Amino acid sequence: MNEPVAKCPHCDQPMDRWAIPDELPFDEDWHWICFNDECPYYVKGWKWMEEKFGRPASYRHRQNPTSKENGPMAVWSDMALRNGIIKP
Ligand SMILES: [Zn+2]
């Protein structure tokens, strides 16, 4: 928990540690996720998912703290996943 807070490459805001649920195939206990509702990646995601799948959903920027690999984390509302945020 001592490593510096990672910043989102899309909005430059500090990301939150998010506890990985058991059903996800990651080895880590947590990943960085950008929970900024103004993040352009997240904002654009709503439009993209609507056009592509015709349903309200988006994704937030996620980063693996070990490998630094980046990926999307799908969400279905602006409150989704927030209960997994690990308070500093
Ligand atoms: Zn962001």
Side-chain angles (χ1 to χ4, degrees):
M1 283 289 190
N2 290 328
E3 66 185 281
V5 172
K7 281 188 174 176
C8 173
H10 302 281
C11 63
D12 207 35
Q13 294 297 304
M15 294 191 281
D16 286 299
R17 291 178 175 88
W18 181 74
I20 302 285
D22 290 343
E23 60 267 28
L24 290 184
F26 298 120
D27 293 334
E28 293 76 23
D29 291 337
W30 57 271
H31 278 186
W32 295 112
I33 288 191
C34 172
F35 279 98
N36 174 13
D37 287 338
E38 316 276 292
C39 181
Y41 184 74
Y42 172 71
V43 171
K44 273 189 230 142
W46 288 105
K47 192 166 156 38
W48 193 88
M49 293 291 271
E50 177 73 44
E51 284 170 2
K52 197 95 176 166
F53 299 109
R55 59 180 63 161
S58 184
Y59 33 80
R60 294 186 183 277
H61 180 76
R62 178 183 54 77
Q63 186 183 82
N64 181 321
T66 312
S67 67
K68 309 296 182 201
E69 165 249 349
N70 295 299
M73 180 60 81
V75 290
W76 51 93
S77 82
D78 56 1
M79 290 309 293
L81 310 184
R82 285 186 185 272
N83 56 2
I85 294 174
I86 303 169
K87 297 283 177 241

